[in-house]
Amino acid sequence: MKTKDQLYVQEITQFKTKEQFWNPHVWYKEMREKSPVFYDEQQDTWNVFLYEDAKKVLSDYQLFPSARDRSLIPVPLEENKVNLIFSDPPEHKKRRALLAKAFTPRSLQMWEPRIKALVDELVGNLVPGEPINIVEKLAIPLPVTIIANLLGVPTEDWKIIKEWSDVLFLSHDLQRVKELKQLKEQAGKEFGAYLYPIVVAKRLDPADDIISDLIRAEYEGSHFTDMEIVHTVMGLLGAGNETTTTLITNMFYSLAEDNMAAYGQLRADPSLAPKVIEEVLRYRFNITLDRRIGEDTDIFGPHMKKDQHIIAWISSANRDESQFPNGEQFDILREGSNKHLTFGGGNHFCLGAPLARMEAVLALEAFVKRFSSYRLADDYIPQDHLGQNSHELKALSIILEE
Ligand code: HEM
């Protein structure tokens, strides 16, 4: 069924079983080999599975613009109007420049000690010898506390912030359209009512944080209004939370299960941590990105019509053998793993990528320093811990050895 404002990947994959959600790579490989450019009639959507094609979709904003009325991105449509992710040059340049003022390399350098202190506290609290859920103990609290701290909202409120942002970013689900719309409207209202007074107070009394940076930010005479800052902050909390949680969770899964030698290699040479993170991003991160088709084109072979939509299957592109030899193997020494497209490409390349990378690398370094090894708990079965119709692990039970 084609709906007005949403795209549903699940209607395209038709995955039904936990096994399919947990290991979509069987299907991706088949698509790369047999139907790398595929038209889904039901959703009137083109799909590309190869690396070069996915990269082209992300980088050619004239042929594949981001301004669109249907998307996989599960934020309420009203917010699209201020959200830079749905804009194209020249408007995108302006919106991004305002936001980029808060994400400079200098900011990152200033944030490093705060991130390190939290990482040390969270890793310090991990207890060896008994099963612990590393998602709950580290992968969830780290990104949400950090982003709350950097934004300048009270970090002790992280649980409610996480709840709101989780609801706002719940994936589209054709079976729950009305229910999800209501839930999101309610969460958006509550979250907005929470953030608005914080923004107003900071306008009077700015501090050393991202909300104050956004208040000060100026680009060719434009400033953000209070409501734009509220929506931007909601967007940042959503963009940076679940994604970084997934990265950290996947990192623990991959190092335990995808390559038995990897953790030992890393203990022997902890400077490999950034490479490990790139390989996790490439190998074990499920992501699809969509665009509108800006004009009729035959660029991928078949004729695609203006205003149809196109999905770039990033996780498939990230295992395309033409770019990543032995792509189905998790190899922390791989050359060029950072060519992955998990942070996107072109003008919308993830603004928070340096922050996400820094959080994951610092967490891994602190963990490796403290624990000689770890393994999955004996009774842990990943397929039993996936979110609803999702590829992501909501819990990961591991046993640590000091
Ligand atoms: C592992 C963690 C993350 C992943 C995998 C990720 C992935 C992405 C991707 C794929 C895009 C491009 C979307 C598109 O082209 O349609 C994007 C954009 C963006 N991300 Fe991230 N992200 C992560 C973490 C973060 C964090 C921590 C922040 C900030 C706190 C952030 C803020 C943004 C923003 C503001 C954009 C929009 C950029 C633009 O449209 O110009 N992300 N991210």
Side-chain angles (χ1 to χ4, degrees):
M1 184 176 89
K2 182 178 169 183
T3 55
K4 200 165 60 64
D5 53 2
Q6 305 182 343
L7 291 170
Y8 300 90
V9 274
Q10 211 193 312
E11 299 300 307
I12 297 168
T13 63
Q14 290 293 324
F15 288 165
K16 298 277 185 279
T17 65
K18 285 182 189 175
E19 192 48 46
Q20 287 172 315
F21 281 104
W22 174 236
N23 189 8
H25 295 282
V26 177
W27 185 73
Y28 295 156
K29 187 164 189 285
E30 202 180 300
M31 295 309 278
R32 279 198 304 279
E33 284 166 3
K34 296 193 186 137
S35 315
V37 180
F38 164 76
Y39 177 64
D40 183 83
E41 203 175 327
Q42 211 196 30
Q43 306 245 346
D44 190 19
T45 301
W46 290 93
N47 298 272
V48 292
F49 293 85
L50 297 177
Y51 182 91
E52 287 300 342
D53 296 352
K55 200 169 165 189
K56 179 77 184 163
V57 169
L58 300 182
S59 54
D60 189 337
Y61 68 82
Q62 269 155 341
L63 202 48
F64 303 111
S66 287
R68 56 208 191 269
D69 55 2
R70 293 168 73 211
S71 175
L72 297 166
I73 300 179
V75 288
L77 211 60
E78 310 81 69
E79 279 164 38
N80 298 0
K81 294 180 192 113
V82 295
N83 197 327
L84 80 161
I85 208 95
F86 294 100
S87 67
D88 295 298
E91 182 61 21
H92 172 260
K93 190 172 172 209
K94 180 177 140 195
R95 290 185 198 177
R96 184 162 166 123
L98 279 166
L99 196 53
K101 300 245 155 107
F103 285 87
T104 61
R106 211 184 117 254
S107 319
L108 208 65
Q109 231 177 19
M110 266 168 33
W111 296 338
E112 186 169 348
R114 295 195 224 175
I115 301 175
K116 219 168 167 314
L118 181 64
V119 160
D120 287 346
E121 186 190 322
L122 293 170
V123 172
N125 289 341
L126 299 175
V127 181
E130 60 193 57
I132 57 155
N133 178 4
I134 197 74
V135 180
E136 181 200 328
K137 299 280 182 213
L138 182 63
I140 287 178
L142 179 62
V144 60
T145 314
I146 288 299
I147 193 71
N149 177 301
L150 300 182
L151 284 163
V153 300
T155 47
E156 60 273 20
D157 293 342
W158 72 266
K159 283 198 175 141
I160 181 74
I161 293 172
K162 165 93 182 138
E163 267 174 41
W164 284 321
S165 81
D166 280 356
V167 172
L168 285 176
F169 281 77
L170 277 170
S171 300
H172 292 323
D173 183 342
L174 202 46
Q175 315 308 322
R176 299 170 67 200
V177 176
K178 220 170 149 190
E179 179 200 344
L180 288 182
K181 189 168 181 274
Q182 277 168 357
L183 277 175
K184 286 179 191 219
E185 271 170 11
Q186 184 60 25
K189 229 187 261 168
E190 288 173 19
F191 203 178
Y194 168 86
L195 288 171
Y196 187 72
I198 297 178
V199 173
V200 172
K202 284 195 192 287
R203 209 176 265 288
L204 298 172
D205 187 14
D208 181 14
D209 53 46
I210 296 180
I211 294 183
S212 306
D213 286 348
L214 296 177
I215 289 170
R216 284 186 288 257
E218 189 250 308
Y219 180 77
E220 293 181 351
S222 288
H223 290 88
F224 281 119
T225 65
D226 289 341
M227 276 324 280
E228 279 169 350
I229 294 180
V230 165
H231 282 126
T232 304
V233 168
M234 278 189 204
L236 285 177
L237 283 162
N241 256 336
E242 174 115 13
T243 44
T244 313
T245 293
T246 303
L247 169 60
I248 295 173
T249 307
N250 290 347
M251 163 184 107
F252 281 105
Y253 185 87
S254 277
L255 284 172
E257 290 291 298
D258 290 332
N259 181 336
M260 293 308 195
Y263 194 74
Q265 283 174 315
L266 180 62
R267 278 275 292 183
D269 180 4
S271 73
L272 288 172
K275 264 185 104 69
V276 171
I277 300 304
E278 293 313 306
E279 182 66 348
V280 174
L281 283 161
R282 180 194 75 82
Y283 181 82
R284 191 167 271 293
F285 204 105
N286 234 292
I287 186 160
T288 35
L289 296 172
D290 63 284
R291 296 288 189 264
R292 184 167 58 84
I293 296 173
E295 51 198 71
D296 283 19
T297 178
D298 301 334
I299 189 164
F300 299 134
H303 187 67
M304 301 178 177
K305 286 194 267 181
K306 181 174 184 308
D307 291 336
Q308 289 183 313
H309 287 72
I310 186 159
I311 298 178
W313 291 77
I314 304 302
S315 334
S316 167
N318 283 343
R319 292 198 185 187
D320 184 335
E321 294 277 331
S322 72
Q323 294 295 322
F324 304 104
N326 299 319
E328 303 280 355
Q329 279 169 30
F330 178 75
D331 173 6
I332 65 169
L333 301 177
R334 176 185 297 282
E335 287 304 317
S337 49
N338 60 357
K339 282 186 303 184
H340 65 74
L341 300 173
T342 307
F343 287 123
N347 57 347
H348 289 278
F349 183 84
C350 176
L351 206 50
L355 174 60
R357 283 176 163 138
M358 181 183 272
E359 287 180 34
V361 168
L362 290 176
L364 185 56
E365 284 174 350
F367 186 89
V368 166
K369 209 160 128 192
R370 176 148 178 230
F371 297 105
S372 63
S373 72
Y374 72 96
R375 62 183 167 82
L376 299 194
D378 295 335
D379 57 355
Y380 181 81
I381 299 169
Q383 288 88 331
D384 290 345
H385 297 279
L386 299 174
Q388 200 194 2
N389 295 338
S390 115
H391 309 273
E392 275 137 34
L393 294 174
K394 297 296 166 199
L396 179 59
S397 184
I398 60 175
I399 300 177
L400 312 168
E401 260 177 55
E402 211 132 23

